[in-house]
Amino acid sequence: MQIGTAKLSYRADEALLTTKPQRLWMAALIAGLALAPLVLDNYWLYLACLVAINVASATGINILTGFTGLVSLGQAAFMAVGAYTVAVMDARLGTPFLVNLVAGGVVAAAVGGVVGLPSLRVKGLYLAIATIAASFILHFVFVNWESLTNGNSGLTVQPATFFGTPLTDYWQLYYVFVPITGLMVLGAANLFRTRIGRAFIAIRDRDISAEVLGISLLRYKLLSFAVSSFYAGVAGGMWAYFFRVVTPESFPFIYSVFFLAAIIVGGMGTILGGILGAIFMTLVPELLRFVVEWITPIYPNAVAALSPIRTIVFGGLIIGFLIAEPKGLAEIVQRVRRFFHLWPFKK
């Protein structure tokens, strides 16, 4: 049983890692992430980079929906804004890729602030519809502003360079994307130790009471949209450098549903939930594909026969999981942690 965890100061109580086991596990995680490219092949490094991108974007929408209570189905559109910003700056200005990523996040944050204006009057389903409308407007801009976006043909992005070295291999991109995502997740975790983060949570729990307490709904709702969109813009910029081409069809509406499903499966309103949900939504379809390939020697037509079923099974897993554990994967992790905290005693 875990003992000796009494906190003697507010700073200690607010620490992200409050116990020695947590610090040890975090050190092991960092070491594992640093050494992963030494044991993973190109396919798994590809998936690891994709997971890093998805975790960054899922963390952003979790700030908006999970912590502030504002439903958005426009995350893919904000990622597209960041991706196009990176592509345009790379082609026309030749600025360093880190500058391009930050600029992609800033432009996406500005667009997100504008899109968030309806949140001052509507909420819930109505706000979700407003963000869907914004997504279609942005898609129209990407298709028809040909002088900037090259229309349906899209834009090609040159490889990111670091000290003159092109980052073309997956292991090179891994060592760039994973630290960036780690910093973004750390920033989100620290955000909710500040007045801004607590204002977001107060708005989610009871916006009228929050306003009575002096929290400006105008300021903090727009700020939440801007922060969430910044995360999406940076993720979109990484996506552009990863796939090296950006078109209007690169970020379909279903991608926004993907991220919303990720935070629901992972656990809304928790930093860990966004991470676990993004990993689940990215890797489970690939694991199901391996199952189909494993059956192929036994049943030669398995790929053609079971591919549609694989999608159905994936959807069924999500539904079944939400029925069994509506609070998401993060709650399962917390339950395991509580078990070991109290062991050998029962709760």
Side-chain angles (χ1 to χ4, degrees):
M1 181 177 180
Q2 193 175 72
I3 61 174
T5 59
K7 307 300 186 299
L8 301 179
S9 67
Y10 183 75
R11 181 184 294 274
D13 189 54
E14 283 294 290
L16 295 178
L17 302 176
T18 58
T19 64
K20 185 176 180 180
Q22 286 181 342
R23 290 188 285 270
L24 291 175
W25 279 111
M26 181 57 66
L29 174 62
I30 294 173
L33 291 175
L35 298 175
L38 302 179
V39 297
L40 297 179
D41 59 22
N42 269 342
Y43 174 74
W44 285 104
L45 286 174
Y46 162 85
L47 287 179
C49 292
L50 194 59
V51 165
I53 295 170
N54 290 340
V55 166
S57 189
T59 300
I61 195 173
N62 208 8
I63 291 173
L64 180 66
T65 301
F67 285 97
T68 317
L70 303 175
V71 181
S72 171
L73 284 170
Q75 196 73 351
F78 300 135
M79 287 183 67
V81 172
Y84 270 107
T85 301
V86 164
V88 170
M89 292 185 65
D90 179 78
R92 301 192 178 185
L93 302 177
T95 45
F97 81 97
L98 288 176
V99 174
N100 295 344
L101 288 180
V102 174
V106 170
V107 174
V111 174
V114 174
V115 173
L117 287 173
S119 67
L120 306 176
R121 292 292 183 183
V122 297
K123 61 177 66 175
L125 179 62
Y126 301 99
L127 180 58
I129 293 174
T131 58
I132 293 173
S135 298
F136 284 111
I137 292 172
L138 288 171
H139 184 272
F140 178 84
V141 172
F142 299 145
V143 171
N144 291 279
W145 196 357
E146 295 188 5
S147 62
L148 185 68
T149 65
N150 202 26
N152 286 314
S153 299
L155 297 171
T156 301
V157 182
Q158 296 300 315
T161 58
F162 191 70
F163 290 108
T165 302
L167 306 179
T168 55
D169 295 330
Y170 290 141
W171 70 268
Q172 294 173 316
L173 292 171
Y174 174 92
Y175 279 124
V176 173
F177 291 170
V178 170
I180 290 174
T181 298
L183 289 174
M184 294 173 72
V185 170
L186 180 63
N190 279 283
L191 174 66
F192 296 99
R193 303 165 66 198
T194 67
R195 174 185 175 86
I196 295 174
R198 295 182 184 280
F200 289 168
I201 296 173
I203 291 171
R204 177 197 65 188
D205 292 342
R206 185 79 67 172
D207 56 351
I208 296 177
S209 298
E211 189 172 25
V212 170
L213 292 173
I215 295 173
S216 171
L217 298 186
L218 170 63
R219 177 188 306 168
Y220 287 104
K221 283 187 176 182
L222 294 185
L223 183 58
S224 181
F225 261 98
V227 172
S228 174
S229 300
F230 177 85
Y231 273 65
V234 174
M238 290 192 291
W239 192 99
Y241 280 119
F242 187 55
F243 289 102
R244 305 262 302 278
V245 62
V246 182
T247 70
E249 305 306 322
S250 297
F251 301 93
F253 172 71
I254 193 65
Y255 214 20
S256 295
V257 178
F258 172 92
F259 288 114
L260 188 60
I263 63 171
I264 293 174
V265 169
M268 289 198 298
T270 63
I271 299 298
L272 181 62
I275 298 171
L276 297 179
I279 295 173
F280 178 91
M281 294 292 289
T282 305
L283 296 185
V284 167
E286 296 299 320
L287 296 178
L288 292 175
R289 184 177 66 83
F290 284 140
V291 172
V292 172
E293 292 179 352
W294 179 72
I295 298 175
T296 300
I298 304 172
Y299 179 47
N301 295 325
V303 174
L306 298 180
S307 288
I309 298 177
R310 184 186 63 173
T311 305
I312 296 173
V313 170
F314 180 48
L317 282 174
I318 295 175
I319 295 172
F321 181 82
L322 293 178
I323 293 174
E325 185 51 78
K327 293 185 178 180
L329 290 166
E331 178 60 26
I332 295 177
V333 172
Q334 293 301 323
R335 191 178 298 126
V336 172
R337 288 183 60 196
R338 285 195 295 269
F339 172 82
F340 285 104
H341 284 176
L342 297 175
W343 188 86
F345 303 100
K346 291 185 177 182
K347 185 169 70 172

